Each structure stands twice: as C-alpha cells, then as structure tokens.
Amino acid sequence: VQKLNIPIKMIAPSHGIIWRSDPAKIINSYISWAKGETKNKVVIAYETMWGSTEKMARQIAEGIIAAGGIEVKLYNIAESDRTEVITQMLTSKGFLFGSSTHDNDMLPNIAAFLELVKGLKFKGRLVSFFGSFGWAGGAVKEMEERLKGYGPDLVTPGISFKYVPDKTELASCFEFGNKFAKLLLSHQ
C-alpha cells in the first residue's frame, strides 16, 4: 500500500467483511500469504470417533513442543471453525492430519476439510498423517491419497494404531511428533 502511494481508507469486497479501520493490515496479510511466508508452526487437524485419534494428536503435539521452537495449533475439525484453521495454516510450515477409520476410509468432517485444503494448493509445507482403527486401517492411506500431488514439498510417512493406543504406542506418537518437528526445523 505504501509503495503504491494510494490512500486506502476502506476495503469493501463483494463478499466478506468490510475493513473500515487499518485496511493495510489485511493488504499486508494477503501479500504475506501470496508470498507463502511461514512461521515455525504446525497445525494438527483431526477427527476422532471414540477418542483414540485425539489421544494420538495430543501426544504428537507434545512431541513437537518438546523439540522446541515450534508453535502448535491443535484442532478437532468436527468442533472447530474451518476458517480459523485455514487462517492458521496460511502461516504454518507443517500440517498433520488425523482420522479414525470408518468403513476403510477417513471420517466425513476431515474428508471434507481435506478437499478444502487440496483446493488451496499450499506449497513448501511438511505434511503427514495419523489415525486409529478397529478391524482394518484405511484412514491414513486415504488421507495420503486425497492430498497426493496437491503441492507440499515433503510428505512424511504416517502412523496408525489399532484400537486405543497403549503407553508404548502413545510414546511412539510422541516420537513421531518429535521427529516431525526436527524435520520441519531442518526443512527451511
């Protein structure tokens, strides 16, 4: 805005909110988003059926935090405002998506959310997947397939466990998060 020397007092799009005060804030945000500028931040978005995938998500988040220097945003996508999640993703270097398996596939809210993410075509992000299952897995593979070729620089192998994760499996989730964090920090 300053470079163009145009005095902008208000931004009134055909849809969305009207920026009556400090329109430079949203203009500068769009410039940053367009450049793909990111922070050492990871968004973890998951959907859980009986709580097992949520337990995994929380341990993964703890592993990331333990690595140091990375902010973590944790969202149960069935209960979260998707606009808020996407807004956090715009400045995040990494994404982790989790789902319980239902009928050899991911749960419906995370499936719909991944379609939205796919359309945004994020570049230069580290991505991985996690989830729990009962009889047969499938959610992690389906999430990987859903986002295949959408544009991340690096997709790391996911992690999944049968039924409720025990102490050893939760420790593996912590390590998974810790390794993801270290990879993210080295992927500048």
Side-chain angles (χ1 to χ4, degrees):
V1 176
Q2 302 301 330
K3 291 180 183 179
L4 298 175
N5 201 22
I6 300 171
I8 298 174
K9 295 180 182 174
M10 180 188 328
I11 297 175
S14 61
H15 67 282
I17 64 170
I18 296 173
W19 289 83
R20 289 184 172 91
S21 63
D22 196 13
K25 179 179 179 181
I26 192 63
I27 291 169
N28 291 330
S29 292
Y30 270 95
I31 290 168
S32 176
W33 298 333
K35 289 179 180 178
E37 295 174 349
T38 59
K39 301 174 185 175
N40 286 339
K41 180 169 55 173
V42 173
V43 168
I44 302 173
Y46 68 92
E47 185 172 7
T48 190
M49 189 179 299
W50 300 108
S52 295
T53 300
E54 181 174 14
K55 288 178 183 180
M56 293 176 71
R58 293 190 181 283
Q59 283 302 303
I60 291 167
E62 291 298 323
I64 293 168
I65 291 166
I70 299 176
E71 180 182 359
V72 176
K73 297 291 186 176
L74 185 64
Y75 298 98
N76 179 338
I77 206 66
E79 300 171 354
S80 300
D81 180 324
R82 292 179 184 168
T83 301
E84 179 185 336
V85 180
I86 292 295
T87 300
Q88 291 297 324
M89 291 175 73
L90 290 170
T91 57
S92 297
K93 281 187 182 174
F95 311 143
L96 286 159
F97 301 108
S99 179
S100 304
T101 297
H102 184 264
D103 292 336
N104 295 323
D105 207 340
M106 66 193 105
L107 293 173
N109 289 301
I110 197 75
F113 183 71
L114 290 180
E115 280 303 310
L116 177 60
V117 169
K118 184 177 178 180
L120 293 171
K121 297 183 170 123
F122 288 103
K123 302 282 186 214
R125 304 319 205 275
L126 180 64
V127 180
S128 196
F129 308 90
F130 63 96
S132 61
F133 60 94
W135 295 271
V140 169
K141 179 182 173 218
E142 291 301 319
M143 287 186 292
E144 289 171 348
E145 286 298 315
R146 179 73 49 103
L147 294 184
K148 191 178 230 175
Y150 89 105
D153 280 349
L154 189 55
V155 177
T156 65
I159 187 172
S160 64
F161 293 112
K162 191 171 186 177
Y163 302 124
V164 179
D166 62 24
K167 285 183 180 182
T168 303
E169 292 165 334
L170 289 173
S172 294
C173 290
F174 182 93
E175 284 304 313
F176 176 79
N178 199 263
K179 287 179 184 175
F180 186 87
K182 290 174 182 172
L183 188 57
L184 182 129
L185 290 171
S186 70
H187 182 68
Q188 304 293 330

